[in-house]
């Protein structure tokens, strides 16, 4: 999991990576995670980052056979009550 986090950080910077899971079945490894991006990030940029992360993961960790990335907007912190 640390290798996945490292590759994502190198590719996308701090993307609010969370809900990272790895599933192993025989020689197959599936990776799934969520990534938070600023709300103003254009969908095209989020898509480009997703593709870059997937390609980087597959190149650096060839045992990965499936990558699922869910991009989501950051939500502002809840307002503090007076």
């Amino acid at each position: 999991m640390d290798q996945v986090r490292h590759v994502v950080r190198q590719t996308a910077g701090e993307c609010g990576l969370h809900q990272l899971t790895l599933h192993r079945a025989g020689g197959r490894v599936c990776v799934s995670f969520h990534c938070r991006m600023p709300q103003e990030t254009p969908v095209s940029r989020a898509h480009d980052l997703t593709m870059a992360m997937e390609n980087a993961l597959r190149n650096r960790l060839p045992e990965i056979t499936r990558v699922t990335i869910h991009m989501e907007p950051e939500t502002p912190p809840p307002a503090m009550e007076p």
Side-chain angles (χ1 to χ4, degrees):
M1 285 204 190
D2 287 338
Q3 290 177 324
V4 171
R5 285 186 181 95
H6 180 71
V7 171
V8 169
R9 202 171 308 120
Q10 283 185 321
T11 307
E14 291 299 325
C15 75
L17 177 76
H18 62 287
Q19 294 186 352
L20 172 61
T21 58
L22 294 174
H23 298 280
R24 296 180 191 272
R28 299 175 52 128
V29 177
C30 299
V31 176
S32 175
F33 59 90
H34 293 215
C35 210
R36 290 187 187 102
M37 300 299 295
Q39 288 185 349
E40 63 274 4
T41 304
V43 172
S44 59
R45 175 71 178 136
H47 176 73
D48 291 346
L49 282 171
T50 300
M51 295 303 297
M53 287 186 282
E54 181 175 348
N55 290 335
L57 286 166
R58 289 181 185 276
N59 288 335
R60 293 276 302 276
L61 305 166
E63 65 274 16
I64 293 176
T65 56
R66 183 173 180 171
V67 179
T68 304
I69 304 170
H70 175 74
M71 299 298 275
E72 57 190 28
E74 291 176 336
T75 54
M80 303 224 10
E81 292 186 31

